[in-house]
Amino acid sequence: MKTYELSGKGLDHLKIVTREKPSPKKGEVLIRMRAASLNYRDLMIAKGVYRREVCYPLIPLSDGAGEIESVGEGVSGFIQGDRVMGSFFPFFFDGLVGPETDRRALGGDLDGVLSEYVILGSESVVKIPSGWSFEEASTLPCAALTAWNALYGGIPLLPGQTVLVLGTGGVSMYAALFARMGGARVMATSRSREKLLKMRAFGVEDLIDTSTSPDWDDQVHALTLGRGVDHVVDVLGGESFNRSLRAVRVGGQVSVIGVLSGTAGNVDTALILGKAIGVRGIYVGNRRQLEEMSRALEHGSHRPAIDGVFSFSEAREALMALDQGAHFGKIVIRV
Ligand SMILES: NC(=O)c1ccc[n+]([C@@H]2O[C@H](COP(=O)([O-])OP(=O)(O)OC[C@H]3O[C@@H](n4cnc5c(N)ncnc54)[C@H](OP(=O)(O)O)[C@@H]3O)[C@@H](O)[C@H]2O)c1
């Protein structure tokens, strides 16, 4: 079978190699992958700037979808031909993330899915929503689940609340989609007017163009008549984190997800206690949440925005496109 291997730090170390096609053992399924999608983490891992070391050679990428080609002994609940996706944390089934689950994620600590065939334990696999293409479903395991966990994994979002998403990447696009599904009002920031207009298709009512209004927290206060939003889905972190603390209402929640504005900052802790803000670090989610989210998407016509679909031989080009940051939503590789 053809598979990608990352043999060192830097995109030059990403190559297609041939490996023997694996066979499923007891409790495992063999998946013929059909599509994989990119997350910012994949780029950091490929460049060698991820916060954790990886072991080389590594099959990259955490997110993919395909169909089961064969099942090992003792597998129940799945048969040949089932359309499935793998769970980001293959050994994290339920409950809260902990030391025993945190260090075992696909495409980082463990081999990932940028391969013609992938073996996973049947307990790590979830059926994709019916009616979804493999390309669409490949965007679910990390970006979508992170957004779902942010909005429903802690204090759940309520209809009529207001959610602020930052930027127009995969996590933010899905956070907007889920917030609208949940009956919330959604505000979005972007450095691009053009991308903001695309967010309207996801039901985003209030658009904040940070190229002309860099003080987006002030804009949020103007739009909410000084109240602030109920929930900020923060993929920026770093130096911009205090803006999230200012944009959220008294007693609101900030989900800490990303590092696009840096990994550290001078955090105004007095604001957190003074406004009694719930600050929750999110690290993707568990298999139960993936199933729950997949069920929620089963009904209705919600679909992600896919900015580009690259062929299997173009994985490096796909990662470079992600690096350029011109995309809206997700970038996918057909396998
Ligand atoms: N904690 C978790 O479990 C988890 C899971 C998934 C992702 N993440 C993290 O969340 C972040 C977003 O991931 P993603 O996959 O959604 O990324 P993505 O698809 O690459 O999108 C990021 C978007 O953020 C905006 N952006 C990028 N750099 C920026 C900057 N310096 N300042 C302001 N805005 C910026 C851009 O939108 P505009 O061009 O519209 O401004 C960009 O499209 C990353 O840091 C990633 O590592 C964390």
Side-chain angles (χ1 to χ4, degrees):
M1 67 170 188
K2 283 190 189 143
T3 185
Y4 269 93
E5 274 185 8
L6 187 66
S7 57
K9 295 183 179 183
L11 291 184
D12 289 345
H13 292 97
L14 183 64
K15 302 248 161 64
I16 295 180
V17 299
T18 303
R19 283 193 192 181
E20 200 175 324
K21 183 175 157 186
S23 300
K25 297 195 202 67
K26 192 173 177 183
E28 293 178 336
V29 296
L30 174 68
I31 306 169
R32 172 65 174 95
M33 298 309 297
R34 295 294 179 191
S37 81
L38 300 186
N39 289 289
Y40 195 75
R41 167 180 176 268
D42 303 315
L43 182 64
M44 289 193 282
I45 289 173
K47 285 172 142 185
V49 297
Y50 192 53
R51 66 191 163 94
R52 293 220 295 252
E53 289 295 321
V54 301
C55 289
Y56 303 112
L58 173 77
I59 300 178
L61 271 54
S62 59
D63 288 13
E67 58 207 322
I68 292 183
E69 185 167 297
S70 57
V71 301
E73 189 195 328
V75 169
S76 61
F78 292 101
I79 55 168
Q80 185 188 18
D82 277 347
R83 294 155 59 86
V84 295
M85 58 189 158
S87 181
F88 180 88
F89 289 117
F91 304 102
F92 180 22
F93 305 115
D94 205 345
L96 300 173
V97 71
E100 64 291 346
T101 42
D102 167 53
R103 296 201 165 260
R104 296 164 87 190
L106 296 179
D109 319 283
L110 308 169
D111 272 338
V113 300
L114 193 53
S115 181
E116 286 181 328
Y117 291 92
V118 168
I119 290 267
L120 286 172
S122 61
E123 291 183 331
S124 313
V125 161
V126 168
K127 288 183 187 157
I128 66 175
S130 54
W132 282 53
S133 68
F134 289 123
E135 284 86 3
E136 289 164 344
S138 75
T139 69
L140 293 171
C142 176
L145 188 59
T146 301
W148 179 266
N149 187 3
L151 296 177
Y152 296 105
I155 300 171
L157 179 73
L158 295 174
Q161 290 193 323
T162 304
V163 175
L164 171 68
V165 305
L166 305 177
T168 58
V171 173
S172 302
M173 182 247 328
Y174 266 115
L177 188 153
F178 292 138
R180 286 298 294 145
M181 273 170 68
R185 172 186 179 191
V186 188
M187 301 180 176
T189 68
S190 175
R191 301 163 300 173
S192 151
R193 180 88 202 144
E194 198 190 334
K195 290 191 195 177
L196 272 178
L197 294 176
K198 292 185 183 169
M199 282 299 255
R200 279 207 196 281
F202 290 85
V204 177
E205 295 156 51
D206 301 291
L207 311 174
I208 302 170
D209 183 345
T210 55
S211 68
T212 51
S213 306
D215 297 333
W216 47 265
D217 45 328
D218 292 341
Q219 296 291 312
V220 168
H221 276 276
L223 288 164
T224 56
L225 307 177
R227 183 177 186 270
V229 295
D230 297 286
H231 199 138
V232 182
V233 179
D234 188 337
V235 295
L236 302 181
E239 288 299 339
S240 84
F241 187 65
N242 284 336
R243 290 192 191 278
S244 289
L245 298 178
R246 289 197 287 269
V248 76
R249 72 162 161 88
V250 172
Q253 298 178 72
V254 178
S255 293
V256 183
I257 292 175
V259 293
L260 296 169
S261 280
T263 52
N266 191 9
V267 176
D268 188 345
T269 51
L271 261 185
I272 298 176
L273 70 94
K275 289 171 74 175
I277 299 167
V279 175
R280 182 166 168 253
I282 307 286
Y283 194 10
V284 194
N286 60 42
R287 185 206 139 115
R288 181 188 54 74
Q289 291 171 312
L290 187 62
E291 274 182 317
E292 192 178 276
M293 178 187 78
S294 190
R295 263 198 312 275
L297 290 168
E298 188 80 35
H299 310 286
S301 54
H302 305 284
R303 291 293 189 279
I306 295 180
D307 194 86
V309 180
F310 290 77
S311 69
F312 190 66
S313 60
E314 295 174 321
R316 233 187 294 179
E317 287 78 359
L319 282 160
M320 283 178 336
L322 186 76
D323 201 13
Q324 278 156 16
H327 62 287
F328 174 80
K330 297 297 294 181
I331 294 175
V332 168
I333 297 171
R334 202 171 278 138
V335 180

